[in-house]
Amino acid sequence: MRLPSVDTALAHIRRDAAAGRFAQWGLSTLIDEFTGVPSIEKDLFDTLHRAAGIAAEFPIGNAGVLHVYGYWFSEVPTPFGYKRDRWADGQLAQALGFDADAFLLEAESESGTTELGSSASTLLERVTKAVLPALLAPPADAITADVVVGEYRTRVIALAPLEGTPSALVYGIAPIAAPMNFRLVTTFPVASDPAVMVAECITDPRLHFNAIAL
């Protein structure tokens, strides 16, 4: 598929910053545990965070800025494909009960021009509304684990798959002193058995999925 423009991402980010949405997301490193290299370059990292009004020092930044927007522009292949695939291929959106194009950064109109998403909302707004409620109050049919890591409580949730879709995994972190003040770190589809991934978070009690302590 044709990649969206950085200008589109910046337009979304500025609207998210004005609404204070990045406060609902934690911190993440760009150094992926599987590739060992940054998922995007420093110049883009700085540009995205500057638009968000967030002071960040490469390679650690706001997880919403990086996972929701920065990953669209990653050209680093991982064992699971490209980082943007979770948004671009529609699997995560469908796993969460939405149309396949719900998490596209740019939507193409009938005239062939591009618009800022499929609705008036930003991409971060749509993603946050889709998964933050589950992080704060996991559904009864989800596979969930809360794991204490140092001064933090992490929560990993594998939502029960809908018919014909993979499971959606959601991961967040909260200080022990405020155990219900969870911030999102990431979300992605899991085609394999999600119980295995949840179990790994329990047996290997550390920060997972590129999360960084708040």
Side-chain angles (χ1 to χ4, degrees):
M1 67 171 294
R2 185 184 62 81
L3 293 184
S5 71
V6 173
D7 285 343
T8 298
L10 296 178
H12 280 242
I13 288 171
R14 292 186 185 104
R15 290 162 59 192
D16 291 324
R21 297 187 187 107
F22 291 112
Q24 297 173 302
W25 290 73
L27 297 176
S28 175
T29 177
L30 276 174
I31 309 300
D32 185 79
E33 62 182 294
F34 293 100
T35 67
V37 299
S39 297
I40 62 173
E41 298 297 325
K42 182 179 185 301
D43 286 349
L44 179 57
F45 172 98
D46 291 340
T47 298
L48 298 179
H49 281 90
R50 188 161 50 246
I54 296 173
E57 186 172 345
F58 185 83
I60 296 172
N62 180 272
V65 171
L66 298 178
H67 290 230
V68 177
Y69 294 114
Y71 280 1
W72 269 102
F73 307 100
S74 176
E75 297 297 339
V76 180
T78 78
F80 311 101
Y82 288 98
K83 294 285 193 179
R84 73 178 71 92
D85 292 347
R86 69 192 65 186
W87 312 121
D89 65 16
Q91 290 193 50
L92 178 59
Q94 291 176 312
L96 292 167
F98 300 103
D99 291 339
D101 64 354
F103 293 152
L104 294 182
L105 186 52
E106 279 184 343
E108 188 168 296
S109 71
E110 292 181 0
S111 65
T113 60
T114 57
E115 303 169 343
L116 295 184
S118 57
S119 72
S121 60
T122 68
L123 176 56
L124 187 87
E125 183 179 4
R126 298 194 297 273
V127 173
T128 302
K129 286 182 177 179
V131 297
L132 183 58
L135 179 65
L136 299 178
D141 58 355
I143 305 171
T144 305
D146 282 15
V147 181
V148 174
V149 180
E151 299 179 359
Y152 298 92
R153 180 182 303 279
T154 65
R155 175 171 289 173
V156 58
I157 304 166
L159 298 173
L162 303 175
E163 184 177 357
T165 75
S167 177
L169 186 137
V170 184
Y171 187 73
I173 184 172
I176 288 292
M180 290 310 298
N181 188 24
F182 277 102
R183 295 186 185 183
L184 287 161
V185 173
T186 197
T187 181
F188 53 86
V190 180
S192 58
D193 183 359
V196 174
M197 194 166 290
V198 174
E200 288 176 354
C201 291
I202 299 172
T203 59
D204 184 11
R206 59 180 174 83
L207 298 182
H208 287 264
F209 311 119
N210 301 336
I212 293 291
L214 300 170

